[in-house]
């Protein structure tokens, strides 16, 4: 499984756009990139996933360059409630399930 | 219903006790997972069940014994635990079908906070 590297922490203010970059130099051809969010004492929650180029949903955007060795999670106009740990994961499918290996994650603190 | 439930929410046990953690989902998912998370650390995969069969055991000590009685239910039996086993135990489920990757999004429960004295 490809190892991921993220900043340990980031600070932002309400209303700003936050970009969290993840490095995954050893990503394999059949690997997807997935981001999860976790609040204290709760289970992680799926945010977004992608394979290449750009993916957007109602919560975030995921930018993946052509070489796929990195990816950037973009959170538009963050609020206080976006304070959480964000995990970048890289992996492919196994038969019927996916093995997730969480890296250290990025602790995002949003201030007023 | 897109919810994974876990009981109990909190559990305190002695090193000689036997207890069980329970996880339930009614989304028709066929893959279920146990993770362990220590404070300020990422979740670590322990076990994966696919179609009620144990598919992955990440070299977990035998004092942790998983069980999948049916497609909706996942248990984790605990016996002779150590204080260092104190952690948040998370259960997750995913669709489990080899289809569109998005079907394998994992839905996590709120976890059981376990303290071993």
């Amino acid at each position: 499984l490809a190892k991921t590297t993220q900043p340990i922490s980031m600070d932002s203010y309400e209303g700003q756009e936050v970009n969290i970059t993840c490095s995954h130099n050893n990503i394999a051809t059949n690997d997807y990139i997935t981001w999860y969010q976790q609040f204290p004492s709760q289970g992680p929650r799926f945010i977004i996933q992608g394979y290449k180029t750009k993916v957007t949903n109602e919560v975030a955007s995921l930018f993946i360059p052509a070489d796929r060795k990195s990816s950037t999670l973009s959170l538009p106009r963050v609020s206080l409630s976006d304070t959480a740990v964000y995990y970048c994961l890289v992996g492919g499918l196994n038969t019927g399930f996916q093995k997730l290996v969480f890296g250290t994650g990025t602790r995002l603190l949003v201030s007023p | 219903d897109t919810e994974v439930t876990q009981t109990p929410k909190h559990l305190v046990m002695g090193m000689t006790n036997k207890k069980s953690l329970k996880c339930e989902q009614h989304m028709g998912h066929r893959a279920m997972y146990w993770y362990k998370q220590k404070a300020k650390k990422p979740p670590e995969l322990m076990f994966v069940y696919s179609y009620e069969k144990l598919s992955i055991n990440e070299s977990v000590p035998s004092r942790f014994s998983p069980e999948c009685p049916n497609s909706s239910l996942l248990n984790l039996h605990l016996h002779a635990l150590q204080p260092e086993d104190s952690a948040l135990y998370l259960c997750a489920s995913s669709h489990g079908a080899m289809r569109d990757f998005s079907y394998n999004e994992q839905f996590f429960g709120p976890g059981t906070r376990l303290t071993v004295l």
Side-chain angles (χ1 to χ4, degrees):
Chain A
L1 292 169
K3 181 180 176 181
T4 60
T5 303
Q6 307 173 231
I8 293 176
S9 63
M10 294 182 69
D11 295 319
S12 183
Y13 293 98
E14 283 190 291
Q16 290 189 333
E17 178 185 73
V18 171
N19 296 308
I20 306 174
T21 297
C22 178
S23 172
H24 29 80
N25 291 318
N26 295 323
I27 190 168
T29 303
N30 63 343
D31 283 344
Y32 283 75
I33 300 155
T34 312
W35 286 79
Y36 280 79
Q37 173 194 55
Q38 186 177 26
F39 298 112
S41 297
Q42 293 187 26
R45 184 175 71 103
F46 173 90
I47 301 175
I48 198 167
Q49 68 178 30
Y51 184 81
K52 61 181 179 181
T53 63
K54 177 184 175 182
V55 180
T56 297
N57 61 23
E58 63 277 6
V59 176
S61 294
L62 179 59
F63 299 90
I64 305 168
D67 66 5
R68 303 200 328 123
K69 292 184 183 299
S70 66
S71 59
T72 299
L73 174 72
S74 181
L75 304 173
R77 299 179 298 282
V78 295
S79 64
L80 297 177
S81 62
D82 292 316
T83 293
V85 178
Y86 292 82
Y87 293 101
C88 164
L89 300 100
V90 172
L93 286 177
N94 293 295
T95 304
F97 62 89
Q98 186 195 21
K99 178 176 176 178
L100 293 182
V101 178
F102 287 82
T104 53
T106 297
R107 200 168 293 271
L108 174 65
L109 175 62
V110 180
S111 300
Chain B
D1 182 6
T2 57
E3 191 180 20
V4 175
T5 59
Q6 290 188 244
T7 54
K9 289 186 177 180
H10 301 275
L11 178 62
V12 179
M13 60 186 291
M15 290 189 285
T16 58
N17 292 159
K18 285 186 180 180
K19 297 286 185 183
S20 296
L21 309 185
K22 178 181 173 181
C23 172
E24 201 161 2
Q25 56 87 16
H26 296 286
M27 294 178 278
H29 289 172
R30 303 311 297 271
M32 297 187 77
Y33 312 75
W34 280 116
Y35 291 83
K36 172 183 176 180
Q37 186 173 27
K38 303 281 276 184
K40 298 199 182 300
K41 297 290 187 183
E44 296 178 7
L45 182 65
M46 300 174 72
F47 302 103
V48 180
Y49 273 84
S50 178
Y51 288 80
E52 295 97 69
K53 286 186 168 46
L54 184 64
S55 297
I56 290 183
N57 175 343
E58 292 284 58
S59 303
V60 178
S62 59
R63 58 185 183 269
F64 295 91
S65 176
E67 178 197 20
C68 190
N70 58 58
S71 60
S72 300
L73 194 55
L74 185 67
N75 298 319
L76 185 63
H77 303 297
L78 315 172
H79 173 54
L81 294 193
Q82 305 296 311
E84 58 264 29
D85 296 321
S86 298
L88 181 68
Y89 287 84
L90 295 163
C91 173
S93 70
S94 66
H95 193 282
M98 274 294 292
R99 295 162 64 179
D100 185 331
F101 182 82
S102 63
Y103 277 81
N104 284 293
E105 168 190 345
Q106 291 189 22
F107 292 82
F108 284 80
T112 294
R113 176 75 61 188
L114 174 67
T115 302
V116 182
L117 301 177

